[in-house]
Amino acid sequence: MNEDEKLPNFSRSSLRRILKHLNYEYLKKNRNSALIERNDIVCWRRKYLESLKHYRLSGRPIYYLGETWVDAGEATTKSWVDTVINSPGDPLVRKRTTGQKEPSCKGKRLIALHIGSADGFVPGGLLSIESKKNTLDYHDELNGDTFYDWFIKILPSLKENAIIVIDNTSYNSVKKYPFPTMAWNKQKIIDWLENKGEIIQPSLIKPQLLEIANELKPLHDKYVIDEVARDHNKIVLRLPPYHSELNPIEIAWSWVKHHVLMNNTTFKLEDVLNLLKDAVEHVTSEMWTNFVDHVMKEEDKFWKIDHLSDEIFDAEIGEHTGDISSDSDDENF
């Protein structure tokens, strides 16, 4: 606003007061913010939901894959404390505690990977590794080779004609064939295109070569695990970005982490691992069925809200342009 000469200058705090006076609220964006979503994300979601509906109607089993993390120092923040202890020596004399001891290894973390369906977690499918980095983003801890080895081992445990829903993290999105980018030198791009049967004119420049490569992308831009799954008569279906609420394994992980949180008393990594395994064993098929049912309701919401967004958007355009004609009016014109 301050860059517009036709408008008065405001400080951030003044603008905030004005907006509050106009009954605006400063809220975290959520899935109701449909009108500001990127078109490619909306299209990806629609295609995903359409595919999922088709596979369900075909009776194909659907599995959901996902990862999470568990800190060794994970513990509840509340505990019962003896309030009559008045001095440092009282706990020893009274043989009581001043509360739960603080973890000594908060930096240690387990990365867990699993797969499940309405039948429950797949037996023997849990992969857990100790994190080597003390960062908030744990996705870098898993690499393509580790994931590939786990994926190959778990495939025979899945039902025939299975659909495997996954997200788009780097370790499960390793490309089968390298694809030309601007970082490639010109001759390397030419060699790649000629290897695919293209006849390249010497006068073409690098952007033109990449344009030809992009036209061939649907035929050659393939993921390693997608091809492996296809060889085993299974299909990988990728979630649209930023849609973890459409993956029921996220709800399962929430239950698992709560179990660890409530039972972690030693804060030792090996004990946390045992708690993790125990929690996974206690997630029943009935629980998983409920998780999947919950996600299916979320899918229905998205399916409806996309159509509603179109109606709202068209109404907004009509208000601003004065175009409120209907299809019937157009036909009679």
Side-chain angles (χ1 to χ4, degrees), residues 121 126 255-256 259-260 263 271-284:
F121 277 121
L126 177 63
W255 191 94
V256 167
H259 177 86
V260 174
N263 294 279
D271 293 335
V272 170
L273 175 58
N274 290 330
L275 284 173
L276 174 66
K277 293 177 179 177
D278 181 64
V280 166
E281 291 295 323
H282 280 83
V283 179
T284 65

Side-chain angles (χ1 to χ4, degrees), residues 111 129-133 135 137-143:
I111 310 299
I129 60 174
E130 181 179 348
S131 172
K132 302 300 181 185
K133 301 178 183 178
T135 62
D137 188 2
Y138 57 90
H139 294 93
D140 293 338
E141 296 289 329
L142 282 170
N143 57 53

Side-chain angles (χ1 to χ4, degrees), residues 159-178:
K159 293 180 180 178
E160 195 69 13
N161 293 320
I163 307 300
I164 307 169
V165 175
I166 66 173
D167 55 19
N168 295 277
T169 48
S170 58
Y171 59 80
N172 60 31
S173 300
V174 177
K175 298 296 181 68
K176 186 171 184 178
Y177 306 108

Side-chain angles (χ1 to χ4, degrees), residues 123-259:
L126 177 63
L127 172 68
S128 60
I129 60 174
E130 181 179 348
S131 172
K132 302 300 181 185
K133 301 178 183 178
N134 188 18
T135 62
L136 294 176
D137 188 2
Y138 57 90
H139 294 93
D140 293 338
E141 296 289 329
L142 282 170
N143 57 53
D145 292 336
T146 302
F147 180 79
Y148 179 83
D149 292 341
W150 174 86
F151 192 72
I152 287 292
K153 291 178 182 177
I154 202 65
L155 276 176
S157 301
L158 309 185
K159 293 180 180 178
E160 195 69 13
N161 293 320
I163 307 300
I164 307 169
V165 175
I166 66 173
D167 55 19
N168 295 277
T169 48
S170 58
Y171 59 80
N172 60 31
S173 300
V174 177
K175 298 296 181 68
K176 186 171 184 178
Y177 306 108
F179 195 81
T181 67
M182 203 64 185
W184 289 26
N185 63 51
K186 184 175 180 179
Q187 187 57 51
K188 187 177 179 181
I189 299 174
I190 292 174
D191 292 343
W192 187 93
L193 290 170
E194 290 180 341
N195 183 259
K196 301 298 183 288
E198 294 295 309
I199 299 175
I200 304 302
Q201 300 297 328
S203 59
L204 294 180
I205 61 175
K206 198 171 181 179
Q208 291 177 303
L209 295 173
L210 289 173
E211 186 176 35
I212 297 172
N214 283 329
E215 292 175 357
L216 299 174
K217 196 169 186 176
L219 296 175
H220 303 286
D221 193 28
K222 299 178 180 179
Y223 296 106
V224 171
I225 66 165
D226 295 41
E227 297 302 300
V228 171
R230 190 173 288 108
D231 291 342
H232 287 76
N233 198 29
K234 296 171 177 62
I235 292 177
V236 169
L237 183 62
R238 294 176 180 272
L239 282 161
Y242 320 117
H243 283 73
S244 58
E245 66 266 52
L246 295 183
N247 193 345
I249 201 171
E250 296 293 337
I251 310 176
W253 282 137
S254 179
W255 191 94
V256 167
K257 293 181 72 170
H258 180 74
H259 177 86

Side-chain angles (χ1 to χ4, degrees), residues 3 16 19 66 76 94 132 149 163 185 225 241 285 330:
E3 292 176 358
R16 180 184 290 271
L19 290 173
T76 179
R94 298 168 61 87
K132 302 300 181 185
D149 292 341
I163 307 300
N185 63 51
I225 66 165
S285 59
D330 293 338

Side-chain angles (χ1 to χ4, degrees), residues 112-128:
L113 176 69
H114 216 323
I115 185 170
S117 68
D119 295 329
F121 277 121
V122 175
L126 177 63
L127 172 68
S128 60

